[in-house]
Amino acid sequence: MGTKKIILIVDDDRMNLVTAQNLLVEEYKVVGVNSGKQAFKYLEKYTPDLILLDIFMPEIGGFEVMKQLQEHDEWRKIPVIFLTADRKSETETECFRLGAYDFITKPFEPTVMLNRVRRTIELDGYRRNLQQRLDEKTREVELVTIQAITTVANTIDAKDDYTKGHSLRVAHYSDCLARKIGWSEEEIQNIHYIALLHDIGKIGVPDSVLNKPFKLTDVEFELIKNHTVRGAEILKDIKMFPNVSLGAKYHHERYDGKGYPGGLKGEEIPIVARIIGIVDSYDAMTSNRVYRKRLQDEIVRQELIKGKGTQFDPYLVDRFLELIDEGELFENLPQDDMAMPVFNTDKVSEGITKEETGINTKLDYLTGLLGREQGEKEITESLRNGNGCIMMMDLDDFKSINEQYGHLTGDYVLKIIADMLKEVSGKDIVCRMGGDEFLYYISGVTQQEEAVKKIDEIIELFEEKKKDIEILQSISFSIGLSLFGVDGGDFAELVRKADKALYHVKQSNKEYIYLFYQSASAIKTLEQSKADLNRLVDMLENNQSYQGAFQIDYGEFGHVYDFVQNYSKRNDQDMQLILFTLFSADGGDIKLDQMEQAMQCMEQAIIKSLRGVDVGTRYSSSQFVVVLFGTEKDNIRVVTDRIVQNYFKLYGKRDITLAYDVANLNVQ
């Protein structure tokens, strides 16, 4: 038999302590204290598996004890059951609001107390096991991500014959400097990956420019400079490493404010970028380049000192020079015998300003269409006059062209598409958003039919091009459309809606065009909802695998399903299954953004209303399933009414209503 679980009972009534101890002592190791202060003294040395906590006590009441438990990183993980003689619904609500798993009313009924204690400890065991498995999976994902980042860094360096190993060395130097100035190991690890990806934007710079053996032209230098902004755009949605996009965007800023892309000055420049800026330049100066050999060590030192307060942060330069003098910079330095890294590209055309280059930055360099920034300006100006529509266009399977035929062929295809859009545009505004995405704006359009006519014209011309140009036969168009006044009144909102509509096209694989304001896939009848619930109950009761049975993408449902199956095998206890479903109040269509807003409100209403032992997850785009454990049928109505009330309070409108169906679950 395993070690007994430990239960800490906190109650100022000695009779209650004795009664509870007598009920539980055969199965558990029971520790009793008569005040909140004594409970905290015990918790400083020991960690129980469950706390039974009286609500009404002198000095520190149960609710206050619970609040302090929730503020402590370790104590908050201990499940708590409140003990109370107060049967008011307000007291019950407050118990669960503070995070309790359950509550037991006084005087204690032996069977109820034992069952609830057993259930809570077992459920907490399941949750801890699930968390452990989740942590293991998270670590696996992190390792894969790290490997992917390293691969990306090596790929970027490989574009230039003289930059192989550059990103690895910059990451190593950044680690050393961050450690020198007293950063924590977590912060050091973070800047390591930021530095690895600092040049990711160079993936969009032509190899011919990166490997050019003589001075860059103004246009080529502008391409090089744009790698900072392009890199930040690529990295902006990565959340695993904080500030990862800042290193890419600002590592070419200067301490005196004369850098790019933002002209930031001094400590306006994020410190990760200031660190990377120094070590990036150092690695460049100590490496061979296509047009010159590495600089001598003394010259490198003089350049670093000369850059104090102008190009570099003076304090960081002094610490970096100390690293060089002490030899710490070269310990465990990554070796790459294939080639040496690139010199700081600022030096190639140092002193040239944007105005002096004469570059027309309004146009996209490859396609000749308006660039994203200029396109936004012109469309925004046009929208001030009233109506218009925005089409987000994307080429399907374009990636396969780059992979099979090379990026030069991919560029050729993009140029063909751009020329085609110019051919049909007339006074319309067309810009390249990036990659294989284009934005097409038609001024004055108020109706769907007008926009579709233009789309049909584009598709017809595209099909004609495919007949003459073989490479186009492997790709197709997807188009998302939004209308001014219907889907929004400004550029940003219309683009967001058009992008959502485009996403729907990509997911459906049925049609090449989709309008944002078309209805979401919502269940429209109670009969459909009941059928869904019956199907779910049947699957659970017959122990069928959910794999392939439920056509859903919500991975959390799998954990809930497994949890219900495992729990049911160990407990002879009723479980109530509740399927909450959103409906159109008038039977009409529901817009995509309206449904998602209502879903989020429903989820919050459910989360606020459930006990710690209950589980639930999304079941479809308009449904949420909840499993209640050990809840009497009479109490289900209390829970569901509370959820419905909270939903309407959060949502604030009546166009999308909430209904539910309940089924008793008997899984053998």
Side-chain angles (χ1 to χ4, degrees), residues 618-632:
R618 277 199 184 197
Y619 182 63
S620 75
S621 61
S622 59
Q623 294 173 300
F624 197 99
V625 64
V626 171
V627 182
L628 300 179
F629 295 93
T631 303
E632 292 78 7

Side-chain angles (χ1 to χ4, degrees), residues 438-462:
F438 300 87
L439 200 66
Y440 195 110
Y441 170 78
I442 311 174
S443 176
V445 168
T446 58
Q447 300 296 325
Q448 165 190 339
E449 292 75 17
E450 296 176 79
V452 172
K453 284 182 182 179
K454 176 60 73 174
I455 292 172
D456 288 341
E457 183 182 353
I458 293 172
I459 297 301
E460 183 178 350
L461 181 56
F462 179 62

Side-chain angles (χ1 to χ4, degrees), residues 247-280:
K249 187 170 185 178
Y250 298 119
H251 69 279
H252 281 304
E253 297 287 358
R254 291 171 54 100
Y255 203 74
D256 58 9
K258 296 180 180 179
Y260 62 85
L264 302 184
K265 185 177 181 179
E267 295 190 3
E268 292 177 354
I269 307 167
I271 190 167
V272 292
R274 279 180 272 153
I275 289 174
I276 295 171
I278 292 173
V279 302
D280 184 39

Side-chain angles (χ1 to χ4, degrees), residues 362-381:
K362 295 180 180 180
L363 301 180
D364 175 59
Y365 180 75
L366 173 65
T367 63
L369 295 173
L370 292 178
R372 180 172 185 162
E373 183 177 350
Q374 186 63 25
E376 177 178 351
K377 287 181 180 178
E378 294 193 13
I379 294 173
T380 300
E381 183 63 30

